[in-house]
Amino acid sequence: MNTAVKNYYDKLASTYDENRFANSYGRYLHRQEAAVLNRYLGPLENRAVLDLACGTGRFMDYCTVGADFSSEMVAAAKAKHPDKSFVVENALQTGFDRESFDAIICFHLLMHLSWTDLESFLWEAARITKPGGQLIFDVPSAERRSLLGHKQSSWHGANAYTDEEVREFLGTAWRLKAVRGIAALPVHRVPKRLRGILVWLDNLLCRTPLRKVASYRVYVIEKQ
């Protein structure tokens, strides 16, 4: 994986939570993403669940193990969740044993990956997931970016995909179970005081065909 990605997140680690998710926009996205995990992942019980690209551990309540390419992000996650296990790993080639996990979640990583890296990621995720296990990940919507005339100016979040492209790169190892949108409404244009109220409407819209033009889509897939 690109060293620039690692360096970027190493530098952000100490202020990442405050800058990204302590504001109304970040909380809005977090609530939508958590709603997907509540629906499709559920309680931990006696399962082994990996957060791959865990960052500072935002979703560790759903997971038993966190892994990230950034050692600084892992250090921040350990400080927040001393009862959880964390390792520094490259998501494209981890050191985990074959079929180690019942489920994997991965948010805000695939937007940085090339098509070739996506294939590597999915094969590695399949290797370390038990048969019948789930992988839940998100990608930016190419349809939304096309609709808005979005032009990416840097590598950060540069890659967006259509539904058809995602189905193509799933290959034979995975079966698609569900798709949900994230941020169908133009959150940046919604007054801050209304964001907490309108998130329920956004969640509803993201379960309809309008998910195709949401900012992101979350895919729930199952290992064959």
Side-chain angles (χ1 to χ4, degrees):
M1 197 171 355
N2 195 327
T3 304
V5 178
K6 176 185 182 300
N7 293 339
Y8 176 84
Y9 283 103
D10 276 345
K11 292 177 181 178
L12 284 182
S14 63
T15 59
Y16 185 78
D17 289 338
E18 180 182 354
N19 291 338
R20 297 296 176 90
F21 295 101
N23 55 60
S24 61
Y25 177 73
R27 291 193 296 269
Y28 188 101
L29 294 183
H30 179 82
R31 286 179 62 182
Q32 288 198 289
E33 291 165 348
V36 175
L37 295 180
N38 289 331
R39 171 68 177 83
Y40 291 102
L41 192 60
L44 276 174
E45 297 174 342
N46 295 317
R47 298 181 301 154
V49 181
L50 170 66
D51 187 346
L52 193 54
C54 67
T56 59
R58 184 163 59 99
F59 288 124
M60 287 308 297
D61 287 344
Y62 297 90
C63 302
T64 54
V65 180
D68 200 279
F69 195 34
S70 164
S71 57
E72 295 299 321
M73 286 286 189
V74 167
K78 284 181 177 179
K80 288 170 57 180
H81 301 279
D83 59 325
K84 303 283 185 172
S85 297
F86 294 94
V87 289
V88 178
E89 292 283 359
N90 186 331
L92 309 186
Q93 187 176 14
T94 74
F96 295 116
D97 291 337
R98 184 179 180 85
E99 298 180 1
S100 294
F101 298 101
D102 298 287
I104 299 174
I105 68 172
C106 184
F107 282 85
H108 299 230
L109 171 66
L110 275 65
M111 68 178 82
H112 303 316
L113 301 184
S114 67
W115 188 275
T116 300
D117 284 347
L118 277 173
E119 292 181 332
S120 298
F121 167 82
L122 287 168
W123 279 113
E124 178 63 5
R127 185 186 71 81
I128 63 177
T129 303
K130 296 175 183 178
Q134 290 185 336
L135 169 63
I136 302 175
F137 66 91
D138 71 324
V139 295
S141 164
E143 294 92 337
R144 173 71 162 247
R145 290 189 175 183
S146 177
L147 182 68
L148 299 179
H150 175 86
K151 302 294 183 183
Q152 191 66 26
S153 59
S154 71
W155 63 264
H156 187 270
N159 301 312
Y161 300 95
T162 66
D163 258 348
E164 291 73 21
E165 287 172 330
V166 171
R167 286 178 170 86
E168 180 181 346
F169 68 62
L170 289 185
T172 59
W174 298 97
R175 178 177 71 88
L176 181 64
K177 290 188 65 178
V179 186
R180 289 292 183 268
I182 299 291
L185 296 175
V187 185
H188 287 298
R189 297 174 183 243
V190 174
K192 293 180 180 180
R193 67 182 183 280
L194 297 179
R195 290 175 181 174
I197 299 171
L198 290 179
V199 69
W200 70 270
L201 174 60
D202 206 333
N203 280 338
L204 178 63
L205 294 174
C206 285
R207 295 196 295 269
T208 74
L210 285 175
R211 68 176 181 267
K212 292 196 75 169
V213 292
S215 293
Y216 297 84
R217 281 189 297 270
V218 177
Y219 293 85
V220 183
I221 61 177
E222 182 178 86
K223 182 179 173 182
Q224 299 279 56

